[in-house]
Amino acid sequence: MGFNVDVGVVPIQRRTEEDRRVRVQLEVDFVCNLGSKRYYIQSAYRMPDEDKFRQEEASLRNIGDSFKKIIIVGEETPIIRTETGTTIMSIYDFLLKENSLEQ
Protein backbone atom coordinates (compact mmCIF):
# COMPACT_ATOMS: atom_id res chain seq x y z
CA MET A 1 0.00 0.00 0.00
CA GLY A 2 3.06 2.26 0.05
CA PHE A 3 3.03 3.12 3.78
CA ASN A 4 6.10 3.54 5.94
CA VAL A 5 5.48 1.36 9.00
CA ASP A 6 7.00 1.80 12.45
CA VAL A 7 6.33 0.65 16.00
CA GLY A 8 5.10 3.39 18.31
CA VAL A 9 5.56 4.11 21.98
CA VAL A 10 3.13 6.15 24.08
CA PRO A 11 4.53 7.44 27.41
CA ILE A 12 1.97 7.82 30.21
CA GLN A 13 2.08 8.48 33.95
CA ARG A 14 0.38 6.12 36.39
CA ARG A 15 0.06 6.07 40.15
CA THR A 16 1.28 3.11 42.19
CA GLU A 17 -0.53 1.69 45.21
CA GLU A 18 1.79 3.88 47.32
CA ASP A 19 0.48 6.89 45.37
CA ARG A 20 3.81 7.46 43.62
CA ARG A 21 3.84 8.58 40.01
CA VAL A 22 5.64 6.27 37.62
CA ARG A 23 6.26 6.65 33.92
CA VAL A 24 5.05 3.74 31.77
CA GLN A 25 5.45 3.19 28.05
CA LEU A 26 2.64 1.55 26.08
CA GLU A 27 3.40 0.12 22.66
CA VAL A 28 1.46 0.70 19.45
CA ASP A 29 1.91 -2.34 17.18
CA PHE A 30 1.98 -0.38 13.91
CA VAL A 31 2.17 3.31 13.02
CA CYS A 32 1.53 3.61 9.28
CA ASN A 33 2.46 6.85 7.49
CA LEU A 34 1.90 7.93 3.90
CA GLY A 35 2.18 11.64 3.15
CA SER A 36 -0.21 13.43 5.50
CA LYS A 37 -2.05 10.20 6.41
CA ARG A 38 -1.32 8.29 9.60
CA TYR A 39 -2.99 5.23 11.09
CA TYR A 40 -2.34 3.66 14.49
CA ILE A 41 -2.99 -0.07 14.43
CA GLN A 42 -3.19 -2.59 17.26
CA SER A 43 -3.54 -6.29 16.49
CA ALA A 44 -5.15 -8.94 18.68
CA TYR A 45 -5.83 -12.58 18.00
CA ARG A 46 -9.09 -12.36 19.97
CA MET A 47 -10.90 -9.89 22.21
CA PRO A 48 -13.19 -12.15 24.20
CA ASP A 49 -13.94 -9.70 27.01
CA GLU A 50 -13.83 -6.09 28.18
CA ASP A 51 -10.46 -6.53 29.91
CA LYS A 52 -8.77 -7.59 26.68
CA PHE A 53 -10.41 -4.70 24.82
CA ARG A 54 -9.16 -2.19 27.45
CA GLN A 55 -5.67 -3.68 27.22
CA GLU A 56 -5.57 -3.34 23.42
CA GLU A 57 -7.09 0.14 23.39
CA ALA A 58 -4.96 1.60 26.23
CA SER A 59 -2.13 2.85 24.03
CA LEU A 60 -4.52 4.18 21.37
CA ARG A 61 -6.62 6.03 23.95
CA ASN A 62 -3.52 7.88 25.19
CA ILE A 63 -2.40 9.22 21.80
CA GLY A 64 -3.02 12.95 21.69
CA ASP A 65 -3.78 13.45 18.01
CA SER A 66 -6.82 12.84 15.83
CA PHE A 67 -5.40 10.32 13.34
CA LYS A 68 -7.37 7.09 12.90
CA LYS A 69 -6.92 4.35 15.48
CA ILE A 70 -7.75 0.75 14.54
CA ILE A 71 -7.78 -2.59 16.35
CA ILE A 72 -7.59 -5.59 14.01
CA VAL A 73 -8.75 -8.95 15.38
CA GLY A 74 -8.15 -12.42 13.97
CA GLU A 75 -11.78 -13.50 14.05
CA GLU A 76 -14.97 -12.50 12.27
CA THR A 77 -16.47 -9.34 13.71
CA PRO A 78 -18.54 -6.53 12.28
CA ILE A 79 -16.75 -3.22 11.78
CA ILE A 80 -17.40 -1.25 14.98
CA ARG A 81 -16.60 2.32 16.00
CA THR A 82 -16.23 2.70 19.78
CA GLU A 83 -17.27 5.68 21.90
CA THR A 84 -13.65 6.82 21.95
CA GLY A 85 -13.41 6.73 18.14
CA THR A 86 -11.40 3.53 17.75
CA THR A 87 -12.40 1.28 14.84
CA ILE A 88 -12.47 -2.49 15.39
CA MET A 89 -12.41 -4.78 12.36
CA SER A 90 -11.53 -8.33 11.43
CA ILE A 91 -8.30 -9.23 9.69
CA TYR A 92 -10.44 -10.37 6.74
CA ASP A 93 -12.00 -6.92 6.29
CA PHE A 94 -8.61 -5.27 6.74
CA LEU A 95 -6.91 -7.41 4.08
CA LEU A 96 -9.71 -8.01 1.60
CA LYS A 97 -11.84 -4.85 1.56
CA GLU A 98 -10.61 -2.09 -0.66
CA ASN A 99 -10.16 1.12 1.35
CA SER A 100 -10.54 -0.79 4.64
CA LEU A 101 -8.54 1.89 6.45
CA GLU A 102 -11.23 4.42 5.57
CA GLN A 103 -14.05 2.39 7.16
Side-chain angles (χ1 to χ4, degrees), residues 56-71:
E56 293 299 332
E57 192 187 40
S59 60
L60 301 178
R61 207 175 34 247
N62 286 285
I63 296 172
D65 63 34
S66 60
F67 290 108
K68 190 154 190 180
K69 294 148 182 87
I70 303 168
I71 299 174

Side-chain angles (χ1 to χ4, degrees), residues 21-40:
R21 295 173 101 181
V22 293
R23 187 178 175 136
V24 178
Q25 293 185 333
L26 302 175
E27 185 176 286
V28 178
D29 293 336
F30 305 99
V31 180
C32 306
N33 296 293
L34 180 63
S36 64
K37 293 182 180 184
R38 174 175 288 170
Y39 300 94
Y40 298 102

Side-chain angles (χ1 to χ4, degrees), residues 39-50:
Y39 300 94
Y40 298 102
I41 299 176
Q42 286 291 97
S43 59
Y45 179 65
R46 293 182 60 228
M47 284 198 307
D49 54 38
E50 187 67 25

